[in-house]
């Protein structure tokens, strides 16, 4: 007999070892996320996938599903928490969607729409984060980094290069490039690396592309991220 | 007149009158007047009180982002900034020329911009003054008042603007702040359904634009004593023209004339604008004062925009607008027309030209297919000049070895007209203010003179309609002796 738990009141089947997020997705239920990616182990850093299980707030990407568990996800309470997390991510960096070439393809922006984030709520930090354009084919715009570490993981675990890392702690945490100069141009990073094509926001960008694809025909322009993510398996 | 009222002597002994903010213009500015004991104007200045800083925060950004970022300068003419930046960056990516489809899509977008902006300015911002009179009740002097009294005129104004914005949407993706142009070309073709829908409405737009020229012509001729003299001053003119001397708003060479209409220079490449133009900074305004290098700041200032363009060109390459241009030139009797209120007449001739160009372009199959971008040997510098609705717009960028912008210089249309607008308000102040008690109508005359130039004071925010305004006349010791309020 298959095992089940209740997801927003509906029974969801799961197999041993599946996380709440994996099982929910397999059953057609979207849970917002930023640092989770189907090709990588759970990371649990962005906390967007937070759900209430057994009265506790937990990261659904990391917690294995259990028989009879009652999970609340798409509720005003959980969505308010997710919205607050998004608002903190927005004020912590410099996110100027109107002139960002990732607009329409950006998961942070798409989630802000999905979760109806209408204001920044908190004071902007306006950090000073110069861009790194030293690589011939790739631009790094650190202003938009949300510390999901997908590039760190992809470069280390798939590309075998370990080009990226996070350094410092707490509010001083930031993305760095593994080179003596600290510049991407001084690494063996390639535009074809997995790490070059995994950033959910607008940090790692292929140079000289910009707005070649019109706004209006981009990934999240026509449908909400909750629809696109389920359809495309991301 | 040009400079004699710029800075008064013994300023501390004069009474200060402030118009703040100037209403029914784009952006925020104020006017200060200093009056002596006999109510004679001793100083008149138009101050631009907003600071934008785009030139600085463009630096360090990747060049391909610039056409989209820089258009946020303005909500009225973002297309002009979008295209001027794209043209400058065409040089950087070596796209000379861009493919025919891209050139025509951009041209269509630009003439849509000219049409909607000119309609906005004439119907929404200026027609209340012209139809009701400068002394009419302030509460009626707005587009709602026009709609109540002249519903058909207001309707045509709104629909002309809407059509222009639809042209922009079809070519840029959005009515405001679209992304149609990219360095080296464009990112979309015109959809057939958009083409057909616009083509269906285009003849009506041409007809309504003709009617608009007819209306301003009638107003002008009905009161030449006002229209030909109000705030009039003499100045040279600068604009792009086509190589053969035709009116050209998207791409051309620089031509300048003196106040008598003599050609000072012609055929100057947009890349060489710095050989012609310098900018001066004055302590009392955030807007710079450009001038022709060869003539210095006192003699070398000039005006730009419709009045300059329509008289700087040799002909307009569309039949209806050309006929109107000839009539306009005949009104001057062989000499250039310098009256600020003639800007409205020239602007409507350009609106008619824009409607004709759009109408003709919509039949061009290049808009629907063909390569959209080109690329050649990259360069590190580029200048893009376009005739924006308000006048000559210059974008100049340098790009470093890593593709980041290392220098940005923007000279926007309204900046070219800075000295001209200051001179116009000094002329009006001298004509109407000296020795008279302040009235709201008097106050509005200063704004009418400024509005004629259609300035975009911050090139960002649109301050429309009933802006609250307080006019105070104070003695040197600060005692208020007269006060007029509005809004």
């Amino acid at each position: 007999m298959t095992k089940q738990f209740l997801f927003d009141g509906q029974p969801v089947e799961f197999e041993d070892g599946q996380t709440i997020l994996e099982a929910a997705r397999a059953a057609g239920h979207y849970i917002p996320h930023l640092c989770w990616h189907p090709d990588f182990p759970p990371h649990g850093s962005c906390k967007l996938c937070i759900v209430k299980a057994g009265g506790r707030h937990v990261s659904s990407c990391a917690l294995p599903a259990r028989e009879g568990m009652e999970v609340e996800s798409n509720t005003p309470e959980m969505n308010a928490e997710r919205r607050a997390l998004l608002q903190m991510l927005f004020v912590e960096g410099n996110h100027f969607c109107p002139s960002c070439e990732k607009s329409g393809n950006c998961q942070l922006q798409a989630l802000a729409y999905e979760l109806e984030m209408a204001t920044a709520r908190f004071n902007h930090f306006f950090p000073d984060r110069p861009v790194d354009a030293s690589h011939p084919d790739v631009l790094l715009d650190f202003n938009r980094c949300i510390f999901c570490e997908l590039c760190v993981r992809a470069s280390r675990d798939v590309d075998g290069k370990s080009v990226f890392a996070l350094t410092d702690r707490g509010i001083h945490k930031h993305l760095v490039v593994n080179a003596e100069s600290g510049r991407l141009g001084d690494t063996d990073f390639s535009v074809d690396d997995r790490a070059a094509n995994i950033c959910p926001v607008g940090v790692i960008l292929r140079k000289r592309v910009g707005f070649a694809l019109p706004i209006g025909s981009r990934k999240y322009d026509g449908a909400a991220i909750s629809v696109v993510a389920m359809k495309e398996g991301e | 007149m040009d400079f004699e009222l710029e800075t008064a002597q013994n300023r501390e002994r004069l009474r200060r009158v402030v118009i703040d903010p100037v209403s029914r213009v784009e952006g925020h500015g104020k006017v200060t007047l200093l009056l002596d004991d006999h109510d004679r104007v001793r100083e008149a200045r138009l101050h631009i009180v907003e600071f934008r800083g785009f030139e600085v925060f463009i630096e360090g950004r990747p060049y391909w982002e610039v056409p989209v970022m820089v258009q946020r300068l303005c909500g009225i003419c973002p297309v002009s900034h979008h295209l001027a930046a794209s043209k400058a960056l065409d040089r950087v990516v070596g796209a000379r020329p861009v493919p025919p489809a891209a050139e025509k899509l951009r041209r269509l977008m630009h003439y849509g911009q000219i049409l909607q902006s000119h309609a906005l300015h004439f119907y929404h911002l200026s027609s209340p003054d012209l139809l009701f009179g400068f002394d009419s009740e302030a509460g009626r002097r707005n587009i709602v008042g026009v709609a109540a009294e002249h519903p058909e005129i207001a309707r045509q104004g709104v629909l002309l603007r809407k059509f222009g914005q639809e042209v922009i949407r079809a070519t840029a993706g959005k009515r405001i702040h679209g992304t149609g142009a990219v360095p080296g070309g464009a990112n979309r073709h015109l959809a057939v359904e958009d083409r057909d829908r616009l083509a269906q409405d285009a003849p009506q737009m041409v007809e309504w634009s003709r009617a608009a020229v007819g209306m301003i012509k009638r107003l002008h001729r009905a009161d030449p004593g006002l229209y030909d003299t109000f705030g009039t001053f003499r100045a040279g003119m600068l604009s792009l023209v086509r190589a053969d001397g035709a009116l050209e708003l998207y791409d051309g060479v620089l031509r300048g004339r003196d106040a008598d209409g003599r050609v000072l220079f012609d055929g100057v490449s947009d890349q060489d604008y710095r050989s012609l133009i310098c900018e001066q900074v004055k302590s009392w305004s955030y807007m710079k004062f450009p001038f022709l290098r060869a003539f210095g700041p006192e003699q070398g200032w000039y005006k730009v925009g419709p009045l300059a363009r329509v008289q700087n060109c040799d002909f307009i390459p569309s039949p209806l607008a050309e006929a109107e241009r000839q009539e306009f030139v005949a009104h001057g009797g062989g000499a250039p027309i310098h009256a600020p209120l003639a800007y409205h007449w020239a602007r409507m001739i350009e609106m008619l030209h824009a409607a004709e160009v759009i109408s003709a372009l919509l039949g061009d199959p290049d808009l629907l297919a063909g390569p959209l971008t080109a690329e050649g040997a990259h360069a590190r510098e580029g200048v893009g000049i376009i005739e924006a609705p308000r006048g000559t717009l210059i974008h100049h960028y340098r790009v470093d070895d890593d593709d980041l912008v290392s220098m940005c210089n923007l000279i926007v249309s309204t900046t070219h007209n800075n000295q001209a607008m200051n001179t116009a308000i000094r002329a009006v102040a001298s004509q109407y203010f000296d020795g008279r008690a302040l009235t709201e109508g008097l106050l509005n005359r200063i704004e009418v003179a400024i509005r004629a130039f259609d300035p975009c004071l911050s090139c960002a925010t649109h301050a429309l309609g009933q802006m609250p305004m307080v006019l105070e006349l104070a003695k040197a010791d600060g005692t208020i002796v007269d006060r007029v309020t509005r809004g």
Side-chain angles (χ1 to χ4, degrees), chain A residues 96 98-101 131-136 139 141 143-144 183 206-215, chain B residues 60-65 68-72 172-174 179 181-182 186-188 375 378 401-404:
Chain A
F96 303 123
S99 60
C100 176
E101 64 186 271
V131 303
D132 178 349
S134 59
H135 193 280
L139 174 81
D141 192 335
N143 289 292
R144 303 157 182 161
R183 288 155 53 90
R206 197 174 282 246
K207 274 188 169 184
R208 297 175 288 278
V209 173
F211 293 87
L213 185 65
I215 298 286
Chain B
R61 299 303 310 172
Y63 72 77
W64 53 87
E65 188 182 84
V68 172
M69 178 183 269
V70 79
Q71 67 176 336
R72 296 278 167 172
K174 284 166 70 186
T179 56
V182 295
N187 68 11
R188 81 193 71 208
E375 192 168 1
H378 280 223
D401 291 341
D402 289 338
D403 301 316
L404 302 182

Side-chain angles (χ1 to χ4, degrees), chain B residues 39-314:
Chain B
D39 289 335
R40 283 189 300 256
V41 177
R42 293 301 183 194
E43 179 180 300
R45 290 173 171 178
L46 167 63
H47 309 251
I48 308 308
V49 293
E50 290 208 354
F51 179 72
R52 307 301 311 289
F54 264 78
E55 288 172 341
V56 175
F57 60 72
I58 289 293
E59 284 180 13
R61 299 303 310 172
Y63 72 77
W64 53 87
E65 188 182 84
V66 170
V68 172
M69 178 183 269
V70 79
Q71 67 176 336
R72 296 278 167 172
L73 268 162
C74 190
I76 302 296
C77 60
V79 167
S80 309
H81 291 288
H82 185 55
L83 293 179
S86 298
K87 283 178 59 183
L89 296 166
D90 289 345
R91 299 262 173 184
V92 169
V93 302
R96 294 290 295 176
V98 299
E103 204 265 350
K104 288 170 185 176
L105 283 157
R106 288 179 180 188
R107 191 172 282 275
L108 181 62
M109 194 193 306
H110 185 52
Y111 281 86
Q113 165 69 53
I114 295 282
L115 182 82
Q116 74 89 6
S117 178
H118 280 4
L120 168 76
H121 179 260
F122 183 67
Y123 291 97
H124 298 65
L125 303 183
S126 285
S127 77
D129 295 322
L130 307 177
L131 292 171
F132 299 144
F134 305 165
D135 291 305
S136 61
E137 183 200 337
R140 197 168 63 130
R141 278 198 318 252
N142 52 53
I143 186 66
V144 177
V146 175
E149 206 143 324
H150 305 280
E152 183 54 26
I153 290 174
R155 191 176 83 89
Q156 290 178 12
V158 169
L159 292 177
L160 274 162
R161 175 152 197 252
K162 183 182 175 190
F163 178 80
Q165 290 193 294
E166 280 299 306
V167 172
I168 295 169
R169 186 198 57 72
T171 48
K174 284 166 70 186
R175 291 177 190 85
I176 304 170
H177 298 140
T179 56
V182 295
N187 68 11
R188 81 193 71 208
H189 292 103
L190 185 66
V192 173
E193 53 271 28
D194 281 331
R195 192 269 315 266
D196 292 346
R197 207 164 37 79
L198 292 168
Q200 196 177 357
D201 291 340
Q204 181 67 79
M205 300 305 138
V206 173
E207 276 317 300
W208 284 347
S209 299
R210 278 183 93 176
V213 183
M215 177 165 68
I216 188 63
K217 221 160 44 177
R218 280 194 303 280
L219 287 165
H220 205 109
R221 284 177 176 152
D223 195 354
L226 173 69
Y227 278 79
D228 287 337
T229 62
F230 179 82
T232 296
F233 61 92
R234 289 164 52 79
M237 297 167 275
L238 172 83
S239 74
L240 290 179
V241 293
R242 205 164 70 187
D244 62 357
L247 180 76
E248 169 58 56
L249 305 181
Y250 172 71
D251 191 36
V253 291
L254 288 164
R255 175 189 278 184
R257 291 183 192 266
D258 67 13
D260 293 320
R262 284 186 293 263
V263 173
L264 296 172
F265 52 87
D266 196 5
V268 177
S269 164
D270 52 3
Q271 304 308 298
D272 299 328
Y273 81 98
R274 277 200 160 168
S275 70
L276 293 176
I277 298 167
C278 275
E279 290 181 279
Q280 186 185 28
V281 175
K282 298 193 181 185
S283 62
W284 47 271
S285 179
Y286 279 123
M287 189 154 69
K288 292 178 188 173
F289 288 78
F291 59 91
L292 297 175
R293 191 182 285 273
F295 299 91
E298 301 227 335
Q299 303 299 321
W301 61 275
Y302 50 85
K303 59 186 176 233
V304 299
L307 187 59
R309 291 190 291 240
V310 164
Q311 300 189 97
N312 209 10
C313 70
D314 300 326

Side-chain angles (χ1 to χ4, degrees), chain A residues 75-108:
Chain A
T75 63
E77 183 190 5
M78 288 299 102
N79 285 337
E81 294 224 1
R82 291 173 182 139
R83 197 157 47 241
L85 288 164
L86 283 175
Q87 286 164 318
M88 287 190 269
L89 286 173
F90 266 94
V91 302
E92 195 177 16
N94 295 310
H95 299 276
F96 303 123
C97 302
S99 60
C100 176
E101 64 186 271
K102 190 79 172 191
S103 183
N105 288 329
C106 171
Q107 291 186 21
L108 182 69

Side-chain angles (χ1 to χ4, degrees), chain B residues 335-356:
Chain B
I337 298 172
H338 291 298
L341 291 179
Y343 260 100
H344 297 296
W345 189 349
R347 191 171 289 117
M348 290 302 94
I349 294 172
E350 285 192 345
M351 185 168 82
L352 175 58
H353 173 57
E356 288 184 279

Side-chain angles (χ1 to χ4, degrees), chain A residues 123-158:
Chain A
N123 288 336
H124 286 272
F125 288 17
F126 296 122
D128 183 15
R129 298 184 188 164
V131 303
D132 178 349
S134 59
H135 193 280
D137 303 317
V138 175
L139 174 81
L140 295 182
D141 192 335
F142 297 108
N143 289 292
R144 303 157 182 161
C145 185
I146 56 168
F147 315 119
C148 68
E149 291 195 81
L150 276 168
C151 60
V152 177
R153 292 179 272 161
S155 185
R156 183 189 61 216
D157 302 340
V158 180

